[in-house]
Amino acid sequence: RVTGPDGQGLFDARINVFKSQTGEWYGAQTRRDGTYQFALPAGTYGLRAEPPQGSSLVVKEIQEFEFRESRKLDIAFDRGITLSGKITDPDGAPVSDVGINASAASGQYFWAGSRADGTYTLAAADPESWRFETEWRGELSPHWRDGHRSKIEVEFLALPGGGTNVR
């Protein structure tokens, strides 16, 4: 069962398990009560649980777990910091289908995508020094293709006492 910080079942979380030796992966969405289920062959797996998009809950990862015949694996999401914004083109029009990737020196990474109105929300664990990168996933308009960058890098640094500094 997947739960939020309040202990309640969490609907529409994405659970991905992968077998690093073979590259096989399996995905499931949580039901209304937070439950999920996989039919997996026996083996060693990694797991990545992604909360519903737009929430302030932080991705959970389990690097390695053994699965034999049956296993119950509960996941409890923690609340993180929320970064949100809007992606626009040089004329101020919203841009959808832009991936916003955040990675930390610790190896953690988080992802969000811009919606039709260009807005995005990304929840991350307490910031240390994060590197943010955007990448276009949709078809580029002529305006973006002709001399405009479709990739932007931003670094947010945690400041003492809270807050962030953008470089």
XYZ file of all heavy atoms in Angstrom, residues 41-124:
625
model
N 8.366 -12.173 -12.069
C 9.173 -13.383 -11.901
C 10.125 -13.173 -10.715
O 10.467 -12.039 -10.379
C 9.941 -13.492 -13.211
C 9.777 -12.213 -13.930
C 8.658 -11.462 -13.298
N 10.534 -14.258 -10.098
C 11.453 -14.162 -8.959
C 12.738 -13.459 -9.385
O 13.173 -13.587 -10.535
C 11.765 -15.551 -8.421
N 13.324 -12.685 -8.465
C 14.567 -12.007 -8.778
C 14.845 -10.829 -7.869
O 14.132 -10.586 -6.903
N 15.880 -10.089 -8.211
C 16.275 -8.894 -7.482
C 15.858 -7.683 -8.298
O 16.160 -7.599 -9.491
C 17.806 -8.874 -7.258
O 18.172 -10.073 -6.563
C 18.222 -7.667 -6.449
N 15.181 -6.753 -7.658
C 14.612 -5.598 -8.336
C 14.982 -4.300 -7.621
O 15.320 -4.293 -6.453
C 13.076 -5.695 -8.365
C 12.558 -6.806 -9.228
C 12.392 -8.086 -8.723
C 12.239 -6.571 -10.558
C 11.913 -9.118 -9.520
C 11.762 -7.595 -11.363
C 11.597 -8.858 -10.841
O 11.133 -9.872 -11.635
N 14.846 -3.217 -8.359
C 14.863 -1.874 -7.806
C 13.467 -1.314 -7.965
O 12.668 -1.815 -8.766
N 13.135 -0.276 -7.200
C 11.798 0.290 -7.260
C 11.881 1.812 -7.242
O 12.716 2.383 -6.531
C 10.973 -0.189 -6.061
C 9.547 0.336 -5.962
C 8.624 -0.755 -5.471
C 9.459 1.539 -5.046
N 11.039 2.459 -8.029
C 10.894 3.910 -8.013
C 9.406 4.210 -7.925
O 8.636 3.806 -8.796
C 11.492 4.530 -9.261
C 11.368 6.049 -9.295
C 12.094 6.637 -10.500
N 11.813 8.027 -10.680
C 12.514 9.039 -10.167
N 13.546 8.769 -9.395
N 12.185 10.284 -10.400
N 9.005 4.892 -6.848
C 7.612 5.265 -6.641
C 7.480 6.767 -6.853
O 8.184 7.546 -6.206
C 7.174 4.876 -5.227
N 6.596 7.158 -7.764
C 6.401 8.566 -8.094
C 5.011 8.990 -7.652
O 4.018 8.390 -8.057
C 6.565 8.784 -9.594
C 7.947 8.410 -10.084
C 8.099 8.493 -11.598
O 7.114 8.835 -12.279
O 9.203 8.210 -12.078
N 4.927 10.030 -6.808
C 3.613 10.496 -6.350
C 2.834 11.117 -7.505
O 3.405 11.388 -8.563
C 3.964 11.541 -5.291
C 5.317 12.026 -5.664
C 6.015 10.858 -6.300
N 1.541 11.356 -7.312
C 0.772 12.006 -8.369
C 1.415 13.339 -8.764
O 1.894 14.081 -7.900
C -0.609 12.236 -7.731
C -0.679 11.228 -6.624
C 0.720 11.050 -6.140
N 1.445 13.625 -10.054
C 2.063 14.855 -10.537
C 1.367 16.066 -9.946
O 0.154 16.102 -9.795
C 2.016 14.923 -12.060
C 2.796 16.105 -12.575
C 3.162 15.967 -14.032
O 3.073 14.906 -14.603
N 3.575 17.062 -14.624
N 2.165 17.055 -9.590
C 1.638 18.285 -9.017
C 1.570 18.278 -7.508
O 1.279 19.299 -6.898
N 1.848 17.128 -6.881
C 1.816 17.081 -5.420
C 3.168 17.551 -4.871
O 4.136 17.679 -5.606
C 1.530 15.657 -4.935
O 2.678 14.842 -5.073
N 3.229 17.796 -3.581
C 4.494 18.194 -2.947
C 5.159 16.993 -2.281
O 5.999 17.155 -1.409
C 4.253 19.302 -1.922
O 3.412 18.813 -0.889
N 4.779 15.794 -2.710
C 5.366 14.576 -2.151
C 6.594 14.191 -2.959
O 6.669 14.431 -4.154
C 4.336 13.451 -2.158
C 3.045 13.764 -1.412
C 2.059 12.616 -1.551
C 3.312 14.078 0.051
N 7.560 13.581 -2.286
C 8.867 13.301 -2.873
C 8.951 11.855 -3.363
O 8.479 10.927 -2.695
C 9.980 13.561 -1.831
C 11.345 13.250 -2.388
C 9.917 15.001 -1.355
N 9.557 11.670 -4.519
C 9.805 10.347 -5.102
C 10.530 9.464 -4.087
O 11.402 9.928 -3.351
C 10.678 10.494 -6.373
C 11.177 9.160 -6.860
C 9.912 11.219 -7.463
N 10.154 8.190 -4.045
C 10.824 7.201 -3.181
C 11.526 6.179 -4.062
O 10.971 5.745 -5.066
C 9.807 6.448 -2.316
C 9.278 7.207 -1.159
C 10.265 7.166 -0.028
C 9.586 7.690 1.215
N 10.376 7.578 2.383
N 12.726 5.791 -3.650
C 13.454 4.754 -4.388
C 13.953 3.688 -3.425
O 14.373 3.997 -2.312
C 14.637 5.369 -5.131
C 14.220 6.267 -6.263
C 15.403 6.801 -7.047
O 16.525 6.806 -6.514
O 15.189 7.218 -8.189
N 13.887 2.469 -3.885
C 14.489 1.346 -3.170
C 15.486 0.745 -4.146
O 15.099 0.302 -5.237
C 13.431 0.310 -2.736
C 12.428 0.956 -1.773
C 14.102 -0.908 -2.111
C 11.255 0.069 -1.428
N 16.749 0.779 -3.804
C 17.790 0.345 -4.733
C 17.713 -1.143 -5.055
O 17.935 -1.543 -6.181
C 19.181 0.675 -4.171
C 19.420 2.158 -4.027
C 19.305 2.910 -5.333
O 19.767 2.454 -6.371
N 18.660 4.054 -5.309
N 17.391 -1.948 -4.048
C 17.403 -3.390 -4.284
C 16.493 -4.099 -3.287
O 16.540 -3.815 -2.096
C 18.836 -3.904 -4.120
C 19.071 -5.261 -4.704
C 20.555 -5.616 -4.684
O 21.274 -5.224 -5.619
O 20.966 -6.294 -3.719
N 15.647 -4.986 -3.793
C 14.857 -5.851 -2.924
C 14.671 -7.187 -3.625
O 14.699 -7.280 -4.843
C 13.515 -5.211 -2.527
C 12.515 -5.113 -3.648
C 11.562 -6.107 -3.843
C 12.515 -4.023 -4.501
C 10.636 -6.011 -4.870
C 11.592 -3.915 -5.532
C 10.652 -4.918 -5.718
N 14.528 -8.217 -2.828
C 14.357 -9.582 -3.345
C 12.873 -9.910 -3.454
O 12.103 -9.619 -2.557
C 15.012 -10.599 -2.410
C 16.527 -10.553 -2.383
C 17.153 -10.961 -3.701
O 16.646 -11.911 -4.343
O 18.139 -10.321 -4.098
N 12.499 -10.510 -4.565
C 11.140 -10.987 -4.744
C 11.205 -12.466 -5.076
O 11.923 -12.865 -5.983
C 10.436 -10.218 -5.873
C 9.038 -10.703 -6.108
C 8.012 -10.305 -5.281
C 8.756 -11.577 -7.144
C 6.717 -10.762 -5.473
C 7.475 -12.044 -7.346
C 6.455 -11.638 -6.515
N 10.475 -13.280 -4.340
C 10.440 -14.718 -4.600
C 9.042 -15.127 -5.051
O 8.753 -15.174 -6.215
C 10.876 -15.508 -3.372
C 12.334 -15.276 -3.006
C 13.255 -15.839 -4.092
N 14.619 -15.386 -3.892
C 15.367 -14.804 -4.799
N 14.907 -14.590 -5.998
N 16.590 -14.435 -4.537
N 8.125 -15.413 -4.145
C 6.787 -15.848 -4.529
C 5.744 -14.770 -4.266
O 4.868 -14.538 -5.066
C 6.403 -17.112 -3.764
C 7.240 -18.315 -4.165
C 6.862 -19.527 -3.349
O 5.749 -19.560 -2.796
O 7.697 -20.440 -3.264
N 5.854 -14.141 -3.128
C 4.879 -13.126 -2.746
C 5.570 -12.171 -1.784
O 6.398 -12.587 -0.972
C 3.696 -13.811 -2.060
O 2.824 -12.855 -1.549
N 5.236 -10.917 -1.894
C 5.864 -9.940 -1.003
C 4.950 -8.733 -0.866
O 4.400 -8.249 -1.849
C 7.205 -9.497 -1.549
C 7.814 -8.408 -0.702
C 9.257 -8.349 -0.804
N 9.747 -7.403 0.185
C 10.990 -7.121 0.345
N 11.895 -7.696 -0.389
N 11.369 -6.261 1.246
N 4.834 -8.235 0.348
C 4.098 -7.008 0.596
C 5.132 -5.907 0.811
O 6.043 -6.055 1.622
C 3.218 -7.157 1.837
C 2.418 -5.925 2.145
C 1.552 -6.138 3.368
C 0.818 -4.848 3.672
N 0.008 -4.967 4.879
N 4.998 -4.835 0.066
C 5.951 -3.735 0.170
C 5.169 -2.430 0.280
O 4.569 -1.972 -0.687
C 6.865 -3.715 -1.057
C 8.038 -2.761 -1.035
C 8.964 -3.042 0.150
C 8.820 -2.873 -2.329
N 5.123 -1.872 1.492
C 4.437 -0.603 1.724
C 5.391 0.549 1.451
O 6.586 0.463 1.723
C 3.939 -0.517 3.169
C 2.803 -1.489 3.444
O 2.024 -1.763 2.512
O 2.695 -1.963 4.588
N 4.850 1.634 0.920
C 5.638 2.818 0.595
C 4.940 4.023 1.208
O 3.737 4.226 0.981
C 5.747 3.003 -0.931
C 6.412 1.779 -1.556
C 6.488 4.280 -1.268
C 6.253 1.693 -3.050
N 5.667 4.813 1.978
C 5.115 6.029 2.571
C 5.869 7.226 2.007
O 7.082 7.329 2.151
C 5.250 5.985 4.093
N 5.143 8.104 1.321
C 5.751 9.305 0.752
C 5.944 10.367 1.824
O 5.126 10.495 2.735
C 4.866 9.893 -0.355
C 4.941 9.149 -1.650
C 3.878 8.384 -2.086
C 6.073 9.228 -2.451
C 3.932 7.710 -3.291
C 6.136 8.547 -3.656
C 5.065 7.801 -4.073
N 7.018 11.124 1.686
C 7.290 12.268 2.548
C 6.988 13.540 1.777
O 7.072 13.580 0.553
C 8.772 12.289 2.963
C 9.149 11.068 3.777
O 8.357 10.663 4.645
O 10.242 10.519 3.532
N 6.680 14.589 2.521
C 6.462 15.899 1.909
C 7.829 16.544 1.676
O 8.725 16.423 2.475
C 5.610 16.771 2.827
C 5.057 17.988 2.122
C 3.860 18.588 2.825
N 2.768 17.689 3.154
C 1.862 17.219 2.299
N 1.947 17.519 1.030
N 0.889 16.438 2.705
N 7.989 17.229 0.569
C 9.246 17.895 0.243
C 9.024 19.370 -0.024
O 7.972 19.912 0.302
N 10.012 19.984 -0.611
C 9.850 21.369 -1.035
C 9.219 21.351 -2.421
O 9.406 20.407 -3.182
C 11.188 22.136 -1.064
C 12.158 21.501 -2.067
C 11.792 22.236 0.316
C 13.317 22.400 -2.411
N 8.452 22.344 -2.733
C 7.791 22.412 -4.019
C 8.376 23.550 -4.828
O 8.454 24.681 -4.345
C 6.278 22.638 -3.840
O 5.748 21.582 -3.046
C 5.560 22.658 -5.178
N 8.802 23.243 -6.013
C 9.272 24.243 -6.962
C 8.262 24.274 -8.090
O 7.895 23.233 -8.626
C 10.647 23.865 -7.505
C 11.728 23.679 -6.461
C 12.961 23.052 -7.091
C 12.075 25.010 -5.838
N 7.788 25.438 -8.430
C 6.831 25.522 -9.525
C 7.158 26.735 -10.371
O 7.831 27.666 -9.925
C 5.400 25.601 -8.987
O 5.252 26.732 -8.164
N 6.711 26.699 -11.584
C 6.978 27.801 -12.487
C 6.211 27.633 -13.767
O 5.313 26.788 -13.879
N 6.585 28.433 -14.746
C 5.920 28.397 -16.038
C 6.969 28.523 -17.128
O 7.842 29.386 -17.056
C 4.919 29.545 -16.142
C 4.094 29.531 -17.405
C 3.013 30.594 -17.357
C 2.114 30.500 -18.572
N 1.011 31.458 -18.494
N 6.896 27.642 -18.109
C 7.795 27.673 -19.264
C 7.085 28.448 -20.374
O 5.952 28.123 -20.732
C 8.128 26.253 -19.758
C 8.661 25.364 -18.629
C 9.089 26.315 -20.938
C 10.025 25.694 -18.150
N 7.756 29.470 -20.905
C 7.190 30.249 -22.000
C 8.219 30.380 -23.123
O 9.423 30.258 -22.886
C 6.774 31.660 -21.548
O 7.921 32.341 -21.050
C 5.691 31.610 -20.487
N 7.738 30.647 -24.319
C 8.651 30.898 -25.422
C 9.067 32.381 -25.386
O 8.583 33.129 -24.521
C 8.037 30.473 -26.759
C 6.875 31.337 -27.221
O 6.689 32.454 -26.683
O 6.160 30.905 -28.139
N 9.952 32.810 -26.267
C 10.422 34.204 -26.229
C 9.306 35.243 -26.376
O 9.463 36.384 -25.956
C 11.402 34.286 -27.404
C 11.898 32.887 -27.553
C 10.715 32.014 -27.236
N 8.159 34.846 -26.930
C 7.035 35.770 -27.076
C 6.093 35.730 -25.878
O 5.070 36.421 -25.872
C 6.252 35.456 -28.350
C 7.097 35.662 -29.606
O 7.939 36.585 -29.602
O 6.919 34.888 -30.563
N 6.404 34.898 -24.869
C 5.561 34.805 -23.674
C 4.461 33.780 -23.759
O 3.682 33.626 -22.817
N 4.369 33.038 -24.861
C 3.342 32.000 -24.999
C 3.756 30.772 -24.195
O 4.933 30.411 -24.157
C 3.162 31.632 -26.466
N 2.803 30.098 -23.518
C 3.142 28.910 -22.734
C 3.666 27.779 -23.618
O 3.252 27.641 -24.765
C 1.820 28.508 -22.077
C 0.762 29.221 -22.829
C 1.382 30.396 -23.499
N 4.592 26.994 -23.068
C 5.179 25.864 -23.794
C 4.897 24.594 -23.000
O 5.262 24.491 -21.825
C 6.704 26.044 -23.978
C 7.291 24.860 -24.732
C 7.002 27.351 -24.698
N 4.238 23.636 -23.634
C 3.955 22.354 -22.973
C 4.999 21.320 -23.366
O 5.818 21.549 -24.257
C 2.554 21.862 -23.365
O 2.506 21.615 -24.747
N 4.959 20.188 -22.699
C 5.827 19.048 -22.993
C 7.306 19.343 -22.827
O 8.141 18.823 -23.570
C 5.576 18.502 -24.402
C 4.197 17.891 -24.533
O 3.743 17.269 -23.547
O 3.580 18.036 -25.595
N 7.644 20.181 -21.851
C 9.048 20.404 -21.502
C 9.306 19.619 -20.228
O 8.565 19.741 -19.254
C 9.357 21.901 -21.280
C 10.785 22.092 -20.793
C 9.131 22.683 -22.565
N 10.331 18.783 -20.248
C 10.701 18.022 -19.061
C 11.622 18.850 -18.185
O 12.564 19.462 -18.676
N 11.339 18.899 -16.884
C 12.188 19.589 -15.926
C 12.814 18.505 -15.059
O 12.111 17.762 -14.374
C 11.405 20.594 -15.059
C 10.828 21.733 -15.917
C 12.302 21.195 -13.989
C 9.490 21.466 -16.456
N 14.124 18.371 -15.134
C 14.852 17.341 -14.409
C 15.679 17.993 -13.313
O 16.374 18.961 -13.569
C 15.791 16.580 -15.352
C 15.040 15.981 -16.514
O 14.200 15.126 -16.329
N 15.312 16.465 -17.712
N 15.610 17.453 -12.113
C 16.403 17.959 -11.002
C 17.267 16.821 -10.492
O 16.782 15.711 -10.287
C 15.501 18.459 -9.881
N 18.548 17.073 -10.301
C 19.434 16.044 -9.752
C 20.295 16.660 -8.667
O 20.601 17.848 -8.703
C 20.303 15.436 -10.855
O 21.083 16.438 -11.468
N 20.645 15.852 -7.702
C 21.454 16.298 -6.568
C 22.781 15.560 -6.569
O 22.913 14.497 -7.177
C 20.723 16.039 -5.258
N 23.731 16.113 -5.863
C 25.040 15.474 -5.748
C 24.918 14.071 -5.148
O 25.718 13.192 -5.431
C 25.966 16.346 -4.902
N 23.891 13.840 -4.335
C 23.691 12.539 -3.689
C 23.232 11.464 -4.667
O 23.178 10.297 -4.315
C 22.656 12.678 -2.570
O 21.400 13.021 -3.135
N 22.856 11.869 -5.895
C 22.385 10.898 -6.877
C 20.873 10.868 -7.012
O 20.346 10.234 -7.917
N 20.154 11.534 -6.119
C 18.702 11.587 -6.242
C 18.336 12.392 -7.481
O 19.040 13.331 -7.841
C 18.081 12.281 -5.038
C 18.078 11.472 -3.779
C 17.356 12.252 -2.698
O 17.780 13.338 -2.340
N 16.278 11.693 -2.193
N 17.231 12.022 -8.113
C 16.740 12.835 -9.207
C 15.218 12.873 -9.165
O 14.572 11.967 -8.666
C 17.251 12.350 -10.562
C 16.653 11.046 -11.026
C 15.555 11.040 -11.875
C 17.172 9.832 -10.616
C 14.999 9.850 -12.305
C 16.625 8.636 -11.040
C 15.542 8.655 -11.884
O 14.988 7.482 -12.299
N 14.673 13.964 -9.680
C 13.243 14.194 -9.696
C 12.883 14.759 -11.062
O 13.697 15.384 -11.716
C 12.844 15.176 -8.582
C 13.270 14.696 -7.228
C 14.491 15.078 -6.705
C 12.476 13.840 -6.497
C 14.903 14.619 -5.459
C 12.872 13.377 -5.253
C 14.090 13.762 -4.741
N 11.641 14.556 -11.480
C 11.221 14.967 -12.809
C 9.800 15.510 -12.769
O 8.960 15.043 -12.002
C 11.278 13.774 -13.748
C 10.823 14.082 -15.121
C 11.607 14.507 -16.152
C 9.496 14.028 -15.632
N 10.845 14.720 -17.268
C 9.538 14.431 -16.974
C 8.273 13.694 -15.083
C 8.414 14.499 -17.776
C 7.144 13.762 -15.881
C 7.230 14.147 -17.213
N 9.521 16.489 -13.604
C 8.164 16.984 -13.830
C 8.073 17.425 -15.277
O 9.099 17.695 -15.913
C 7.836 18.150 -12.901
N 6.869 17.525 -15.797
C 6.671 17.998 -17.161
C 5.754 19.208 -17.171
O 4.860 19.326 -16.334
N 5.987 20.114 -18.122
C 5.108 21.279 -18.206
C 3.785 20.872 -18.846
O 3.739 20.070 -19.765
C 5.776 22.424 -18.971
O 6.023 22.081 -20.310
N 2.708 21.453 -18.321
C 1.364 21.165 -18.792
C 1.027 22.071 -19.992
O 1.839 22.888 -20.402
C 0.374 21.368 -17.647
C 0.642 20.424 -16.456
C -0.347 20.626 -15.312
N 0.053 21.571 -14.288
C 1.030 21.403 -13.398
N 1.774 20.314 -13.422
N 1.284 22.311 -12.479
N -0.172 21.954 -20.506
C -0.600 22.726 -21.682
C -0.463 24.232 -21.462
O -0.158 24.974 -22.393
C -2.039 22.378 -22.051
N -0.654 24.691 -20.211
C -0.533 26.125 -19.935
C 0.900 26.537 -19.595
O 1.152 27.669 -19.183
C -1.484 26.547 -18.816
C -1.149 25.904 -17.469
O -0.217 25.059 -17.392
O -1.833 26.246 -16.491
N 1.864 25.592 -19.752
C 3.276 25.871 -19.505
C 3.713 25.718 -18.064
O 4.899 25.795 -17.760
N 2.769 25.501 -17.138
C 3.135 25.410 -15.723
C 3.670 24.023 -15.377
O 3.363 23.030 -16.038
C 1.933 25.729 -14.814
O 0.891 24.781 -15.068
C 1.430 27.143 -15.035
N 4.484 23.970 -14.333
C 5.002 22.709 -13.815
C 5.122 22.823 -12.302
O 5.209 23.920 -11.744
C 6.367 22.359 -14.424
C 7.456 23.315 -14.013
C 8.213 23.079 -12.868
C 7.716 24.461 -14.747
C 9.199 23.975 -12.474
C 8.693 25.351 -14.365
C 9.435 25.101 -13.222
O 10.400 25.987 -12.830
N 5.109 21.689 -11.634
C 5.338 21.599 -10.200
C 6.263 20.423 -9.968
O 6.023 19.338 -10.480
C 4.021 21.382 -9.427
O 3.128 22.450 -9.742
C 4.263 21.335 -7.931
N 7.304 20.656 -9.226
C 8.297 19.629 -8.935
C 8.491 19.570 -7.440
O 8.706 20.603 -6.803
C 9.614 19.999 -9.625
C 10.806 19.112 -9.367
C 10.658 17.798 -10.131
C 12.072 19.803 -9.802
N 8.364 18.399 -6.847
C 8.612 18.226 -5.418
C 9.950 17.515 -5.257
O 10.228 16.536 -5.939
C 7.507 17.403 -4.769
N 10.781 18.034 -4.387
C 12.103 17.452 -4.154
C 12.351 17.366 -2.662
O 11.731 18.086 -1.877
C 13.179 18.309 -4.822
